Amino acid sequence: MTTHVWDYLAEYEEERADVLDAVDTVFRSGRLVLGASVRGFETEYAAWHGTGHCVGVDNGTNAVTLALQALGIRPGDEVVTVSNTAAPTVLAVDAAGAVPVFVDVHPDTYLMDTGQLAAAVTDRTRALLPVHLYGQCVDMAPLRAVAEAHGLAVLEDCAQAHGARYHGRLAGTLGDAAAFSFYPTKVLGAYGDGGAVLTRYAHVDAALRRLRYYGMADRYYVVRTPGHNSRLDEVHAEILRRKLRRLDRYVAGRRAVAERYEEALAGSGLVLPVTAPGNDHVYYVYVVRHPERDRILRTLKERHDIALNISYPWPVHTMSGFAHLGCPRGSLPVTEQLAGEIFSLPMYPSLPRGVQDRVIEALLGVLGEL
Ligand SMILES: *Cc1c(COP(=O)(O)O)cnc(C)c1O
């Protein structure tokens, strides 16, 4: 059987009774859309973060788009982000009609190089969009200094950072708003699509509630456009409420897997993840680096049936679908070099020890032959 980087079936077996009870609870409630479960999840997710407001939406991509619109970002405004991210981060900026502008990433953490932000700001810049990629936070203190100096909004892309901390403070509470995805693979994942926006501002919360509900303030009456149908589904909200109570446990499980990799692979020739000072990493993905990446992946697949992943093989600015951004190859050298060398090892809380050991042994064998 092929070994993959992620699998939910063992977790489902463990939590099946609770998941099925969640589904039944919603189906028996008499209210299938924007009912007690979405409201309950929103309240509990905001409280878990110790912040004021949470609005459930249909996925992480739309969480970014709607949050930008709720923060007042308008077509033509520039939003500074990174190219080393999931393409949806940038698609979401595009969908808001805004113009994504890229800075390069730091060569140790592969996260936004905040030292490059000031030079990227123009008189059209309205927001900074740091992505807490792989499960650790961007260095937010220098980022906020740039935002304050230029009057920019700060939206965190937290799709990979549920429970991550920056100098003790939770990801999602470090800017003006934060977009989360609950895609099944994420640190907090639904059994389908889901997303949310956190914010400490009541007016942003109110704008988001309209944006996700056809632009209506009340039934049938549109008060603003664009309006979207971007609601969090009631079933997924109820499952997420229950999984939220286990989020600390999921994170601890991921950290235990990461520790084992670190022990076993130190000195192997792989560059292992570096946690920046002040960060608590939640290891959404465990990203390693090696110049012979493609050969390693090919051998692991052919010889051991281990299918590893690359997050992400193509920097966003080099994909043909983003040619209109006019950011040529060569303009983000760290991002471009990384894309050819990084790959991800299996990482999820219920990863069986035996599977992890098999991956480590196979990897050490392949590395020893290089
Ligand atoms: C998953 C992800 C998204 C998109 O979330 P969806 O729920 O899949 O729409 C956005 N940004 C990052 C960094 C992601 O990892």
Side-chain angles (χ1 to χ4, degrees):
M1 212 176 59
T2 309
T3 301
H4 293 284
V5 290
W6 181 80
D7 181 16
Y8 74 94
L9 288 171
E11 184 181 288
Y12 180 57
E13 281 312 311
E14 218 173 281
E15 302 182 356
R16 186 161 172 264
D18 194 38
V19 173
L20 294 181
D21 184 65
V23 175
D24 193 50
T25 298
V26 171
F27 287 2
R28 297 183 77 184
S29 73
R31 176 125 187 216
L32 297 175
V33 175
L34 291 187
S37 294
V38 167
R39 268 199 313 279
F41 175 70
E42 288 172 342
T43 305
E44 290 156 20
Y45 203 58
W48 195 86
H49 287 86
T51 196
H53 307 274
C54 171
V55 179
V57 297
D58 52 351
N59 58 62
T61 309
N62 288 340
V64 174
T65 299
L66 271 58
L68 288 171
Q69 290 170 337
L71 288 167
I73 305 307
R74 301 168 61 85
D77 290 349
E78 290 179 1
V79 176
V80 184
T81 188
V82 285
S83 179
N84 183 40
T85 182
T89 306
V90 184
L91 290 170
V93 176
D94 226 31
V99 180
V101 172
F102 300 117
V103 293
D104 211 343
V105 292
H106 195 278
D108 292 339
T109 59
Y110 316 155
L111 301 175
M112 176 182 270
D113 183 348
T114 54
Q116 298 186 16
L117 284 172
V121 172
T122 73
D123 57 5
R124 289 185 303 278
T125 309
R126 293 289 175 272
L128 303 180
L129 175 47
V131 182
H132 303 319
L133 202 69
Y134 308 141
Q136 71 169 323
C137 292
V138 169
D139 193 4
M140 292 299 282
L143 180 142
R144 290 189 60 119
V146 172
E148 274 153 36
H150 298 273
L152 310 175
V154 175
L155 172 63
E156 303 172 73
D157 182 337
C158 290
Q160 306 194 357
H162 316 69
R165 285 176 189 270
Y166 174 80
H167 295 283
R169 288 182 56 193
L170 279 164
T173 66
L174 305 167
D176 297 307
F180 286 84
S181 165
F182 306 119
Y183 183 77
T185 62
K186 309 290 188 185
V187 178
L188 180 62
Y191 278 71
D193 282 305
V197 180
L198 288 184
T199 180
R200 51 203 165 108
Y201 300 114
H203 71 276
V204 176
D205 173 86
L208 283 162
R209 285 175 196 285
R210 292 170 182 188
L211 285 162
R212 75 167 176 187
Y213 190 73
Y214 319 109
M216 292 175 184
D218 213 337
R219 268 175 92 173
Y220 308 137
Y221 193 87
V222 174
V223 291
R224 69 171 286 169
T225 58
H228 309 258
N229 178 357
S230 282
R231 302 179 287 247
L232 176 62
D233 186 85
E234 194 68 4
V235 167
H236 296 302
E238 185 60 30
I239 293 172
L240 287 165
R241 283 178 89 174
R242 292 153 189 247
K243 289 190 74 170
L244 178 59
R245 297 170 201 145
R246 299 189 283 270
L247 179 52
D248 288 327
R249 214 193 306 156
Y250 298 142
V251 169
R254 286 173 179 275
R255 289 198 179 123
V257 171
E259 254 170 55
R260 173 104 189 96
Y261 279 135
E262 198 165 304
E263 273 166 27
L265 298 174
S268 67
L270 289 178
V271 179
L272 302 181
V274 172
T275 304
N279 269 353
D280 291 324
H281 204 312
V282 295
Y283 297 101
Y284 169 60
V285 276
Y286 192 88
V287 174
V288 297
R289 182 173 182 181
H290 196 285
E292 297 282 337
R293 189 263 317 271
D294 293 342
R295 191 166 146 206
I296 295 170
L297 294 195
R298 209 176 324 113
T299 312
L300 285 173
K301 182 67 184 77
E302 285 169 5
R303 214 184 283 169
H304 302 279
D305 204 14
I306 295 171
L308 299 185
N309 198 32
I310 304 173
S311 295
Y312 294 95
W314 300 286
V316 168
H317 71 287
T318 66
M319 296 188 216
S320 62
F322 293 103
H324 64 284
L325 301 181
C327 181
R329 194 179 276 277
S331 52
L332 301 168
V334 181
T335 297
E336 290 168 31
Q337 192 184 344
L338 272 180
E341 300 183 352
I342 52 175
F343 61 105
S344 322
L345 308 186
M347 172 55 83
Y348 49 100
S350 61
L351 176 65
R353 179 71 179 239
V355 174
Q356 188 176 13
D357 287 345
R358 208 170 69 76
V359 171
I360 289 168
E361 199 183 317
L363 202 48
L364 289 174
V366 174
L367 289 164
E369 290 170 18
L370 294 176

